[in-house]
Amino acid sequence: MELLDGRKVSSELLEGLEKEVLELKRKNVHPHLTVILVGDSPASRVYVKHKKKACEKIGVLYEQLDYKAEEMDTKKLIAKIHKLNENPRVYGILVQLPLPDHIYEPEVIRAIEPKKDVDGFTAYNLGKVFLSTEFEDLPPATALGIIKLLDYYKIDLVGKETVVVGSSNIVGKPISMMLLNRKATVTTCNSKTRDLKSHTGRADLLVVAVGKKGLITEDMVKDGAIVVDVGINRDDDGKLYGDVDFENVSKKVSYITPVPGGVGPMTIACLMENILTACKRLNNIN
Ligand code: NAP
C-alpha cells in the first residue's frame, strides 16, 4: 500500500505557485484574496486560518471580512459581494460556507462575479466543468486537488471503474464530472443509494465525500483499489477522521489518502492555484 501524500504534493505545488506570484509581482500585479466569514463556527475558523497561512506562504494578499451572524443578512451580504466584484484590486472572492441558516446560500453564491469565484461554486464555473477538461478554468478546489493528487502518482483514469460516494455540488458532483471528462467510468452514489457495498465493492477507484466517520469499512472495498477519502469528521477529542476506516481498509488497497494529510492540503493548494488563475485572466496574462 502506498499513501497518496497530499502534504508532500501540495507543498511542491505551493512552491511552484510562490514563484508564479513573484513573476506576477514583477509585472506589478498583486494577487489578492478576500474571504468573507459570517458567524463563529469553530470549523470555519480553522479552514480560513489554513487559507490565510497558504496565502501568506506564497505571497498572496489576504483580507478577511468578519461579520457576526446577527449583523448580516442575505441582502447585506450580497451588497458586500457586489462591492468586491467591482473592486479592481480584488482578484478572488471566497464566502466561507456554511453560512448561518438565515442567510440564503444559493443567492449569495450567485452574486459572486464568476471571474473572481476562486471556490468555483457559481453555476457558471460548475457548468464549465460539465463541458470538458478544456473548460475547467476555476473548478471547485477539492475536485481539482483530487485530480492533481491522482496525476502526481500517475494513476491512469482512462476506463477506470470509479465510484464516488457523495453527490454534493461542491465535491461529489464536480469530481464525478472531472473524472468522467478524463474517461473514467463513473458511478455516483448518494444517501438513497440501495446497497452501497455492491457499488463500492467493484470500484478500482473509490472516492468518498460524505462526512460520516467509518462509513466505508474493509468489506466494502475491493482488493488493490485506490481510495480517496475526502471526509473530515472531528471527534469529541478534536481528532480528525475521514469517512473510511483507514486502519483496516489500508491493509487491502494499493493507494489511499490519509486524513489528515490527504485531500485537505491539496484543496488549499488548488484554491491558491485558482486565485492565480483568476488573477492572470483578469489581467490578460497567459
Ligand atoms: P454534503 O454537502 O453534506 O454532502 C454529503 C453527500 O453525501 C450528499 O450527497 C449525501 O447524499 C451523501 N450521503 C450522505 N449519507 C450517505 C450514505 N450513507 N451513503 C451514501 N451517500 C451518502 O457534504 P460535502 O460538502 O460534499 O462534504 C463531504 C465531506 O467532505 C465532509 O466531511 C466535508 O467536511 C468534507 N470536505 C472535505 C474537504 C477537504 O478539503 N478535505 C473539502 C470539502 C468537504 P444526498 O445528496 O442524498 O443528501
Side-chain angles (χ1 to χ4, degrees), residues 142 165-168 170-171 190-191 209-212 230-232 263-264 267:
T142 302
V165 186
S167 62
S168 70
I170 63 170
V171 189
N190 56 46
S191 64
V210 171
K212 286 188 180 156
V230 184
I232 300 178
V263 177
T267 299

Side-chain angles (χ1 to χ4, degrees), residues 31-144:
H32 178 139
L33 172 71
T34 299
V35 171
I36 299 180
L37 180 62
V38 186
D40 52 8
S41 146
S44 290
R45 292 226 168 261
V46 171
Y47 295 138
V48 296
K49 203 173 84 188
H50 288 312
K51 291 167 191 178
K52 179 172 186 241
K53 206 170 141 199
C55 282
E56 286 168 354
K57 180 172 168 25
I58 68 165
V60 167
L61 290 165
Y62 178 91
E63 174 189 33
Q64 187 173 317
L65 307 177
D66 286 279
Y67 301 102
K68 292 197 174 86
E70 59 275 18
E71 68 176 330
M72 194 45 83
D73 60 28
T74 308
K75 219 172 139 191
K76 277 194 214 161
L77 190 49
I78 289 174
K80 298 270 176 216
I81 291 170
H82 284 159
K83 280 210 163 156
L84 295 171
N85 287 344
E86 284 153 23
N87 184 340
R89 284 186 305 108
V90 175
Y91 298 118
I93 302 169
L94 187 154
V95 178
Q96 184 63 40
L97 303 179
L99 288 165
D101 289 344
H102 68 282
I103 300 180
Y104 188 50
E105 225 166 74
E107 282 293 319
V108 170
I109 291 170
R110 201 161 70 127
I112 301 170
E113 159 57 50
K115 290 191 178 105
K116 298 186 178 187
D117 167 33
V118 290
D119 254 343
F121 292 167
T122 56
Y124 181 81
N125 286 320
L126 280 175
K128 287 181 87 174
V129 166
F130 264 67
L131 301 179
S132 70
T133 51
E134 198 188 328
F135 292 93
E136 294 169 359
D137 295 328
L138 292 175
T142 302
L144 181 60

Side-chain angles (χ1 to χ4, degrees), residues 130-279:
F130 264 67
L131 301 179
S132 70
T133 51
E134 198 188 328
F135 292 93
E136 294 169 359
D137 295 328
L138 292 175
T142 302
L144 181 60
I146 295 170
I147 296 289
K148 282 190 184 277
L149 192 57
L150 296 171
D151 276 354
Y152 185 94
Y153 286 90
K154 299 190 169 36
I155 291 167
D156 184 16
L157 298 173
V158 178
K160 182 84 84 209
E161 190 67 38
T162 300
V163 174
V164 176
V165 186
S167 62
S168 70
N169 291 338
I170 63 170
V171 189
K173 282 183 199 162
I175 187 59
S176 297
M177 228 16 91
M178 288 173 80
L179 290 165
L180 197 57
N181 287 344
R182 287 158 180 80
K183 300 295 171 207
T185 302
V186 184
T187 302
T188 309
C189 303
N190 56 46
S191 64
K192 303 286 187 272
T193 296
R194 283 189 222 120
D195 193 6
L196 186 62
K197 184 177 162 179
S198 70
H199 295 282
T200 59
R202 59 179 173 72
D204 292 318
L205 169 61
L206 177 63
V207 179
V208 190
V210 171
K212 286 188 180 156
K213 181 186 165 194
L215 175 73
I216 304 297
T217 47
E218 185 192 354
D219 56 317
M220 297 169 79
V221 179
K222 187 173 170 179
D223 280 326
I226 299 155
V227 177
V228 175
D229 189 354
V230 184
I232 300 178
N233 307 291
R234 204 173 289 270
D235 229 2
D236 294 339
D237 56 6
K239 223 177 141 201
L240 293 185
Y241 295 89
D243 292 340
V244 176
D245 171 10
F246 182 89
E247 195 188 331
N248 294 308
V249 170
S250 60
K251 289 177 189 148
K252 63 185 291 194
V253 297
S254 55
Y255 290 95
I256 188 165
T257 56
V259 178
V263 177
M266 290 304 295
T267 299
I268 301 283
C270 288
L271 169 67
M272 297 302 120
E273 179 160 312
N274 276 354
I275 296 166
L276 298 198
T277 303
C279 182

